[in-house]
């Protein structure tokens, strides 16, 4: 133990060792426990030690005048040789033992009652107890003393005394929290410092608890009876959780132990009766330090900027130094320090400007962000708006000094680095908190920032895109209650916000167009007992299937009534096996489900039974889908532990069932999806590695194509989509790439079919692509990504044949050369399969402020709906007019620039809110105006939509 080593060191042989050791740390970290152990160990080993443990609001223990007399009394006992000199001093001046009588200072008391009696005894050669080490004085909790000025005088005199007597065998061990009046005196060369924050205390807490529990097990008959029947208590796992929850606080540890054992008084109503019952509840217990926090914060609340500084520290995403806090708030550093110097008991304030300011205990943040506890010190959520604006202003201030230059990360100030990294985080936490002035200020700051950002590829363009996203998100941050009625729709736990451009703003406009382009409404809320992972409509729109834990459920869309629950009898009751993906067959007789147990089940819906099972998958099932014509079933798995190349095997029979396995396509045998029986037996499924006469080895017959496919094995497929004509497959992968395959490539041999060919990789997303969806017209593809963006990809050059219903629905609306196409975004004549021979991104849909795992395209191709972790579903109008746009060209570095990038970004027209967790899945009904969402909050919702020009088909 460092303290013991220091305390027992021989001053005569180690004269450079400081006489004073100051151990500091936050409240509850074990300072007093260490002080007590130092005293006990010194006593056991025969070393003379005296101590004083200060404690605020505890009578004399918080009064410094008692210090000298207490130490003198103890010293007279442990070093009897000092007693005559102490008595002589008191006889000479009786006021030394009386509080403040005769004007005797603390320094005089300590000198005459403690230091001089010990010095004279040592110099007289009569002290026998120093053979085991120097005399030790322990002063614990010096910050708990009420009189700060006398504390400073005490420290100053101790330092002076040791300067005068450098060889005296005396040590002084001081513990306290970091208070300015103490730190300013002890943070000097003649004092050894020890910061308890630098020491991991989890093992000490664990030992502390083990001793307490062991003692209680021996004397508590209830615990002994429980242990005899159930074994060790608490278990190793429970104790580890408890230690982690305590977070290094001995105070909290002691409070929790007392609660577990029932050593604290309660109200007696409904309290758990045994320690075993109370143990699980302790993990939610607050340290109970609210009184200390309130008392400490009161010291600085009169200062300017107090609440801004405290709220900022509480709400920051990562800690900043005092200079960083000052720059972020736009105030001087000394003003931040002025607020914090009196709060070092609960906030760690480093002595330099480059070390972050941190909370002494996480409970302080909980305290500050809970209004019922902190009251006037509450860090208002609206402060996120202020921090967001200050992040924008901080960035703009730097850009004004160096226009067109993006400062490299290594040269950014801490505040600027924070602003660039976390501005969106604060914006997201300010949802529904913006007023009109906040919104106006934000838009103005964003526009000024865009004018000054560099127009270069890489970080410059990335930042332009991020600022553009901020501008797209801002309309959804407005205070919901303050919005006019035509910009919102609100129900009990559901609501919709409309972009201002969707509502007429003038009388003339209202007369000409009285309705919004889009209107949405809630039809049914379908409550589940678990996360709802996916939703899918039947081909006729009459039913909606939901995938949740252990089952798939089917509802009538018009009534919201559940028609059946499909549960496999082998699924463990009470366990977890989520249905991640599902798909109706076009005829509506079958439902295919893929679950976490890596098994695909084909259900006969009418019989509520499993018709076929496809198992043996070595990777997780993430997506599956029937083709629109019902002749194929495609599924995707993500398998990360495969090693070495894997060949592609396929049958020579007609391809009906397809699977994507880590970008390897497998072809299988016919199934009759329209008949009464489903021919999908296990022996009809061919997998990579199977050997059979009706297979051909692609690696052998077409090594070039096989190699190309094999190079993409470890991408991790998350989603798949089949083109309307069943010829092409798009797969979104976790490597940020979308891959397109041609399932029926041209072949010179009529007898020998060519294997599927990987024809394109679509790049542009900055993070994993979680969902892809073809438009039914086949002209474009939409993707949703973890980078928060949706992208529209022009795939018209593939010449995909539109879905039959698409052709019929548009027959009366023959397109002319001037019709608009969402894949292009402008007026251009369509010639399928001609012109460009490469797909490209023509539109970026921005508005989400967290990752987007779900996307769907409306049957008429005009609308896109997405779901996000930001708890909302967004609507985009792909045919929206934008006369200033310069669409029609791919996003390339040659066309970069603020105008080009922002004009390609499409803002959402509507945000639907109400889910309490991530919106994991969305789907449009193929018929009518229904659409649905699924969420981690255990709810699926069926909604309806109406459009001004619903019958117009966009293709």
């Amino acid at each position: 133990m460092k303290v013991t080593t220091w305390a027992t060191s021989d001053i005569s042989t180690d004269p450079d060792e400081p006489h004073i050791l100051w151990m500091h740390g936050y409240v509850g970290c074990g300072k007093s426990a260490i002080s007590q152990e130092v005293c006990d160990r010194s006593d056991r080993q025969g070393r003379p030690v005296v101590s004083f443990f200060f404690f605020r609001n505890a009578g004399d223990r918080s009064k410094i005048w008692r210090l000298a007399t207490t130490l003198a009394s103890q010293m007279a006992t442990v070093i009897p040789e000092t007693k005559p000199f102490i008595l002589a001093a008191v006889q000479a001046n009786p006021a030394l033992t009386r509080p403040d009588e005769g004007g005797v200072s603390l320094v005089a008391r300590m000198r005459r009652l403690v230091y001089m009696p010990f010095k004279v005894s040592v110099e007289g050669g009569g002290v026998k107890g120093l053979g085991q080490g120097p005399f030790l004085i322990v002063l614990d909790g010096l910050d708990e003393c009420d009189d700060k000025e006398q504390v400073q005088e005490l420290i100053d005199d101790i330092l002076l005394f040791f300067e005068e007597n450098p060889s005296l065998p005396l040590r002084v061990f001081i513990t306290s929290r970091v208070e300015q009046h103490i730190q300013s005196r002890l943070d000097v060369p003649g004092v050894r410092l020890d910061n308890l924050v630098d020491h991991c205390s989890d093992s000490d807490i664990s030992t502390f608890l083990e001793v307490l529990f062991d003692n209680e097990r021996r004397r508590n008959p209830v615990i002994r009876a429980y242990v005899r029947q159930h074994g060790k208590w608490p278990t190793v796992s429970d104790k580890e959780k408890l230690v982690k929850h305590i977070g290094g606080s001995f105070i909290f540890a002691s409070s929790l132990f007392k609660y577990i054992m029932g050593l604290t008084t309660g109200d007696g109503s409904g309290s758990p009766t045994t320690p075993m019952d109370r143990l699980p509840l302790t993990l939610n217990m607050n340290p109970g330090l609210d009184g200390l926090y309130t008392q400490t914060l009161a010291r600085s609340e009169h200062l300017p900027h107090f609440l801004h500084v405290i709220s900022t520290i509480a709400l920051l995403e990562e800690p900043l130094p005092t200079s960083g806090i000052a720059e972020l708030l736009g105030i001087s550093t000394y003003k931040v320090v002025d607020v914090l110097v009196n709060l070092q008991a609960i906030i760690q304030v480093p002595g330099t400007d480059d070390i972050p300011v941190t909370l002494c205990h996480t409970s302080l943040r909980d305290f500050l962000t809970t209004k019922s506890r902190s009251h006037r010190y509450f860090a208002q959520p609206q402060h996120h708006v202020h921090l967001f604006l200050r992040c924008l202003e901080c960035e703009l201030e730097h850009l004004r000094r160096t226009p067109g230059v993006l400062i490299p990360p290594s040269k950014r100030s801490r505040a600027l680095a924070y602003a660039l990294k976390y501005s969106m985080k604060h914006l997201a936490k300010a949802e529904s908190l913006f007023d009109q002035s906040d919104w106006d200020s934000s838009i103005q700051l964003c526009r000024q920032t865009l004018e000054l950002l560099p127009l270069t590829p890489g970080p410059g363009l990335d930042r332009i895109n991020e600022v553009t996203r901020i501008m797209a998100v801002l309309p959804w941050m407005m205070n919901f209650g303050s919005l006019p009625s035509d910009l919102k729709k609100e129900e009990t736990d559901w609501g919709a916000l409309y972009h201002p451009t969707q509502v007429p703003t003038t009388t003339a406009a209202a007369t000409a167009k009285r309705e919004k382009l889009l209107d949405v409404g809630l039809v049914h809320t379908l409550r589940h007992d678990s996360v709802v992972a996916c939703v899918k409509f039947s081909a006729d729109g009459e039913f909606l299937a939901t995938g949740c834990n252990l089952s798939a459920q089917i509802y009538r869309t018009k009534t919201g009534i559940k028609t059946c629950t499909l549960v496999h009898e082998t699924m463990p009751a009470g366990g977890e096996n989520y249905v991640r993906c599902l798909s109706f067959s076009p005829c509506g007789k079958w439902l295919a489900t893929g679950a976490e147990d890596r098994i695909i089940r084909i259900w006969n819906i009418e019989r509520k039974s499993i018709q076929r099972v496809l198992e043996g998958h070595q990777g997780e099932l993430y997506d599956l889908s029937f083709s629109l014509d019902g002749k194929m079933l495609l599924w995707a798995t993500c398998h990360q532990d495969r090693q070495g190349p894997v060949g592609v095997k396929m049958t020579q029979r007609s391809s009906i069932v397809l699977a994507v396995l880590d970008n390897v396509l497998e072809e299988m045998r016919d199934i009759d999806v329209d008949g009464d029986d489903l021919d999908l037996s296990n022996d009809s499924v061919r997998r990579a590695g199977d050997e059979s006469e009706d297979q051909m080895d692609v690696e052998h017959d077409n090594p070039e194509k096989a190699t190309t496919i094999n190079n993409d094995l470890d991408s991790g497929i998350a989603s798949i989509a089949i083109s309307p004509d069943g010829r092409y497959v798009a797969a979104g992968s976790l490597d940020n790439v979308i891959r397109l395959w041609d399932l029926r490539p041209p072949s010179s041999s009529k007898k020998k079919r060519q294997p599927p060919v990987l024809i394109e990789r679509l790049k542009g997303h900055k993070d994993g692509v979680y969902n892809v969806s073809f438009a039914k017209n086949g002209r474009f593809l939409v993707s949703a990504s973890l980078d928060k963006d949706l992208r529209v990809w022009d795939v018209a050059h593939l010449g995909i044949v539109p879905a039959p219903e698409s052709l019929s629905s548009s027959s009366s609306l023959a397109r002319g050369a001037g019709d608009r196409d969402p894949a292009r975004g402008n007026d251009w004549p369509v010639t399928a399969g001609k012109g460009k021979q490469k797909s490209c991104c023509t539109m970026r849909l921005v508005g989400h402020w967290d990752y987007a795992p779900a996307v769907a395209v409306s049957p008429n191709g005009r609308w896109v709906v997405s779901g996000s972790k930001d708890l909302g579903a967004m609507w985009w109008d792909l045919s929206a007019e934008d006369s200033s746009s310069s669409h029609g060209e791919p996003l390339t570095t040659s066309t970069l620039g603020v105008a080009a990038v922002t004009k390609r970004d499409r803002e959402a027209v509507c945000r639907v809110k109400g889910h309490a967790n991530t919106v994991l899945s969305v789907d449009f009904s193929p018929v009518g105006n229904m659409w649905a969402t699924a969420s981690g909050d255990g709810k699926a919702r069926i909604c309806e939509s109406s459009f001004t020009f619903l019958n117009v088909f966009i293709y």
Side-chain angles (χ1 to χ4, degrees):
M1 187 178 184
K2 292 183 179 180
V3 178
T4 301
T5 302
W6 163 81
T8 59
S9 61
D10 191 339
I11 292 177
S12 62
T13 61
D14 193 4
D16 295 329
E17 186 70 56
H19 286 270
I20 305 172
L21 190 156
W22 177 38
M23 178 175 285
H24 56 88
Y26 53 77
V27 60
C29 68
K31 300 184 298 294
S32 296
I34 292 174
S35 295
Q36 187 63 55
E37 177 61 24
V38 168
C39 292
D40 293 343
R41 186 171 297 187
S42 296
D43 185 66
R44 290 194 302 268
Q45 296 176 356
R47 295 192 303 274
V49 59
V50 295
S51 64
F52 192 95
F53 285 69
F54 289 94
F55 196 83
R56 184 178 285 114
N57 298 327
D60 289 344
R61 286 185 60 188
S62 64
K63 306 299 181 183
I64 203 167
W65 72 269
R66 291 291 303 269
L67 175 62
T69 54
T70 301
L71 295 180
S73 176
Q74 294 178 18
M75 185 173 67
T77 302
V78 298
I79 305 178
E81 296 84 351
T82 63
K83 185 174 182 179
F85 302 104
I86 296 172
L87 292 176
V90 173
Q91 290 173 358
N93 187 358
L96 290 173
T97 61
R98 303 189 189 107
D100 301 328
E101 186 174 339
V104 180
S105 68
L106 174 65
V107 170
R109 295 169 191 267
M110 290 295 295
R111 288 265 180 170
R112 297 177 187 180
L113 295 178
V114 182
Y115 303 148
M116 296 310 297
F118 176 71
K119 178 182 178 182
V120 173
S121 298
V122 171
E123 291 176 345
V127 178
K128 300 178 181 180
L130 300 180
Q132 300 298 321
F135 175 42
L136 179 63
I137 297 176
V138 176
L139 304 179
D140 180 75
L142 194 57
D143 56 292
E144 297 283 338
C145 179
D146 293 335
D147 195 326
K148 294 182 179 180
E149 291 183 0
Q150 289 201 49
V151 167
Q152 291 181 322
E153 292 175 4
L154 170 67
I155 296 172
D156 290 342
D157 189 64
I158 294 174
L159 292 170
L160 178 61
F161 179 79
F162 283 125
E163 286 181 9
E164 298 169 347
N165 303 277
S167 60
L168 193 67
L170 173 64
R171 304 285 199 207
V172 178
F173 178 56
I174 300 174
T175 70
S176 76
R177 289 169 285 179
V178 181
E179 297 273 14
Q180 177 64 20
H181 68 288
I182 298 175
Q183 184 182 32
S184 62
R185 295 302 197 274
L186 288 176
D187 194 0
V188 295
V191 179
R192 178 175 176 176
L193 306 180
D194 197 354
N195 188 351
L196 274 181
V197 177
D198 297 333
H199 303 282
C200 178
S201 58
D202 279 357
S203 59
D204 297 328
I205 294 292
S206 180
T207 301
F208 174 66
L209 290 175
E210 183 57 38
V211 171
L212 294 177
F213 279 116
D214 186 63
N215 291 336
E216 197 65 21
R217 280 192 294 265
R218 286 197 298 267
R219 62 189 179 204
N220 191 315
V222 176
I223 297 178
R224 290 201 304 270
Y226 180 91
V227 170
R228 284 194 298 270
Q229 182 176 1
H230 300 283
K232 183 176 177 61
W233 182 87
T235 64
V236 173
S237 175
D238 286 341
K239 196 176 82 168
E240 288 177 350
K241 293 177 182 177
L242 194 59
V243 170
K244 184 177 180 181
H245 182 62
I246 287 170
S249 171
F250 280 88
I251 291 178
F252 195 17
S254 178
S255 300
L256 288 180
F257 179 79
K258 290 177 181 178
Y259 173 79
I260 293 170
M261 296 304 160
L263 303 179
T264 56
T265 59
D267 58 9
S269 59
S271 300
T273 57
T274 70
M276 285 64 71
D277 296 327
R278 287 186 288 268
L279 177 59
L281 303 180
T282 60
L283 298 179
N284 294 318
M285 177 178 286
N286 187 275
L289 302 176
D290 291 7
L292 171 66
Y293 293 151
T294 300
Q295 184 178 13
T296 304
L297 291 169
R299 300 175 182 177
S300 292
E301 68 174 318
H302 64 284
L303 297 172
H305 310 292
F306 164 75
L307 198 55
H308 269 182
V309 171
I310 295 303
S311 297
T312 297
I313 293 174
L315 299 180
L316 284 176
E317 294 295 321
E318 67 179 37
L320 287 173
T322 53
S323 59
I325 295 172
E327 182 182 354
L328 185 62
L329 293 180
I331 60 178
S332 301
T333 301
Y334 79 86
K335 293 184 178 180
V336 175
V337 175
D338 190 31
V339 170
L340 297 181
V341 290
N342 293 321
L343 308 180
Q344 296 185 77
I346 56 177
I347 297 176
Q348 292 283 345
V349 185
T352 61
D353 288 343
D354 58 345
I355 300 177
V357 175
T358 57
L359 303 182
C360 290
H361 196 276
T362 55
S363 62
L364 177 56
R365 178 173 285 105
D366 297 334
F367 170 81
L368 291 171
T369 55
T370 305
K371 189 173 183 179
S372 61
R373 294 172 57 194
S374 53
H375 303 293
R376 65 183 185 274
Y377 304 125
F378 177 54
Q380 298 281 350
Q382 287 86 346
H383 192 64
H384 282 294
V385 178
H386 181 70
L387 289 176
F388 165 72
L389 289 170
R390 282 302 308 160
C391 283
L392 295 183
E393 291 170 355
C394 183
E395 179 181 6
L396 187 56
E397 289 165 4
H398 282 269
L399 285 171
R400 284 170 176 163
R401 290 195 288 267
T402 57
V405 177
L406 198 64
I407 299 175
S410 60
K411 296 184 178 180
R412 294 171 185 168
S413 67
R414 296 290 289 270
L416 176 60
Y418 182 92
L420 294 174
K421 185 177 181 180
Y422 292 114
S423 58
M424 182 62 80
K425 286 278 189 179
H426 289 294
L427 177 59
K429 292 182 178 180
E431 183 180 4
S432 298
L433 298 176
F434 275 68
D435 59 27
Q436 189 62 47
S437 63
D438 296 328
W439 188 88
D440 292 338
S441 298
S442 301
I443 291 295
Q444 184 66 22
L445 289 170
C446 287
R447 287 173 176 167
Q448 294 176 18
T449 299
L450 287 174
E451 292 174 357
L452 297 175
L453 281 170
L455 308 180
T456 55
L461 177 59
D462 290 342
R463 188 56 192 165
I464 288 174
N465 286 336
E466 188 65 11
V467 175
T468 303
R469 182 195 312 283
I470 289 174
M471 296 179 71
V473 168
L474 280 169
W476 316 114
M477 297 292 111
M478 296 295 291
N479 186 304
F480 195 81
S482 65
L483 290 175
S485 59
D486 55 358
L487 285 182
K488 64 183 178 182
K489 179 176 290 188
E490 187 174 13
E491 298 186 21
T492 303
D493 61 346
W494 182 92
L497 292 80
Y498 300 97
H499 197 281
T501 59
Q502 295 300 295
V503 180
T505 57
T506 67
T507 305
T511 302
K513 185 168 54 176
R514 302 183 63 87
E515 297 180 359
K516 293 188 284 287
L517 293 178
L518 166 73
D519 197 9
V520 295
L522 177 64
V523 179
H524 303 295
T525 296
L526 313 176
R527 302 182 186 277
H528 296 66
D529 295 329
S530 71
V531 169
V532 186
C534 51
V535 288
K536 188 70 68 173
F537 281 98
S538 60
D540 58 8
E542 293 293 323
F543 298 94
L544 178 76
T546 63
C548 55
N549 189 28
L550 304 178
S551 69
Q553 302 180 21
I554 300 178
Y555 299 82
R556 287 193 176 275
T557 56
K558 292 182 179 180
T559 62
I561 297 175
K562 186 190 302 183
T563 61
C564 70
T565 299
L566 306 176
V567 183
H568 189 244
E569 58 185 10
T570 62
M571 289 186 179
E576 287 192 358
N577 185 29
Y578 281 90
V579 175
R580 286 178 171 171
C581 48
L582 41 74
S583 180
F584 281 99
S585 65
C587 66
K589 296 179 179 179
W590 316 103
L591 182 72
T593 63
E596 287 182 326
D597 59 6
R598 303 183 181 183
I599 296 176
I600 294 176
R601 296 172 173 87
I602 312 295
W603 299 83
N604 184 311
I605 298 174
E606 183 178 358
R607 300 173 186 172
K608 301 179 183 179
S609 62
I610 296 175
Q611 188 74 16
R612 292 290 185 268
V613 172
L614 303 176
E615 52 189 348
H617 305 289
Q618 297 183 14
E620 300 289 339
L621 290 164
Y622 279 96
D623 202 2
L624 57 77
S625 179
F626 279 101
S627 61
L628 292 181
D629 60 6
K631 295 182 178 179
M632 292 190 298
L633 176 66
L634 187 78
W635 66 84
T637 66
C638 183
H639 181 47
Q640 301 294 336
D641 57 359
R642 173 177 293 142
Q643 298 179 356
V646 178
V648 180
K649 308 291 184 178
M650 63 179 295
T651 69
Q652 297 183 39
R653 302 181 181 180
S654 58
S655 65
I656 300 299
V657 182
L658 296 163
V660 177
L661 178 60
D662 285 349
N663 297 350
V664 178
L665 294 177
E666 305 173 89
E667 200 159 2
M668 298 156 215
R669 289 182 14 190
D670 293 336
I671 59 173
D672 179 12
V673 296
D674 292 317
D676 293 331
D677 295 317
L678 185 66
D679 181 15
L680 195 61
S681 56
N682 287 334
D683 60 359
S684 70
V685 180
R686 303 295 183 182
R687 305 186 186 283
D690 288 349
E691 296 298 337
S692 176
E693 292 183 356
D694 62 354
Q695 289 186 323
M696 73 175 188
D697 190 337
V698 177
E699 284 186 313
H700 176 74
D701 291 353
N702 197 333
E704 182 177 354
K705 288 187 173 61
T707 301
T708 300
I709 296 174
N710 289 338
N711 284 341
D712 288 333
L713 285 178
D714 295 325
S715 59
I717 294 177
S719 61
I720 53 174
I722 310 174
S723 64
D725 59 3
R727 177 169 178 174
Y728 298 97
V729 173
S733 303
L734 300 182
D735 63 357
N736 314 346
V737 178
I738 302 167
R739 290 169 173 81
L740 286 174
W741 282 278
D742 186 347
L743 303 182
R744 299 193 295 272
S747 173
S748 58
S749 174
K750 295 183 180 180
K751 295 182 179 180
K752 187 175 183 180
R753 293 197 53 186
Q754 293 296 316
V757 175
L758 178 63
I759 57 174
E760 283 193 82
R761 297 181 183 87
L762 308 182
K763 299 180 180 180
H765 282 294
K766 303 298 183 181
D767 209 334
V769 182
Y770 238 58
N771 214 319
V772 288
S773 179
F774 274 106
K776 286 192 176 182
N777 55 46
R779 304 201 61 83
F780 65 95
L781 175 77
V782 182
S783 57
S785 169
L786 300 183
D787 65 8
K788 310 170 190 174
D789 283 347
L790 282 76
R791 288 179 178 255
V792 179
W793 306 85
D794 175 12
V795 294
H797 70 95
L798 297 177
I800 297 174
V801 179
E805 60 269 29
S806 299
L807 292 174
S808 60
S809 63
S810 62
S811 59
S812 60
L813 295 167
R815 281 176 54 93
D819 288 339
R820 297 175 58 83
D821 190 300
R824 295 285 187 170
N826 68 338
D827 298 342
W828 68 297
V830 177
T831 306
K834 296 183 180 181
K836 292 189 307 174
Q837 296 301 310
K838 186 176 181 180
S839 303
C840 65
C841 177
T842 59
M843 200 181 300
R844 188 173 73 116
L845 309 182
V846 290
H848 284 301
W849 52 92
D850 214 324
Y851 71 72
V855 67
V857 182
S858 66
N860 69 351
R862 177 175 182 173
W863 306 94
V864 168
V865 170
S866 61
S868 171
K869 192 182 177 183
D870 61 22
L871 315 186
M874 292 279 200
W875 278 74
W876 279 269
D877 183 0
L878 298 189
S879 67
E881 293 289 342
D882 187 0
S883 59
S884 62
S885 297
S886 56
H887 296 290
E889 299 177 6
L891 285 174
T892 64
T893 56
S894 62
T895 59
L896 290 178
V898 174
V901 173
T902 55
K903 288 175 182 177
R904 292 176 183 277
D905 293 335
R906 185 62 55 84
E907 293 187 46
V909 298
C910 177
R911 171 175 167 80
V912 178
K913 53 189 292 184
H915 281 297
N917 208 320
T918 303
V919 180
L920 297 169
S921 179
V922 294
D923 193 33
F924 276 105
S925 171
V927 179
N929 61 345
M930 297 288 190
W931 58 286
T933 60
S935 172
D937 63 2
K939 298 176 184 177
R941 285 196 163 107
I942 300 176
C943 304
E944 62 182 355
S945 54
S946 59
F947 316 102
T948 303
F949 304 105
L950 183 61
N951 61 333
V952 175
F953 181 81
I954 306 298
Y955 71 98

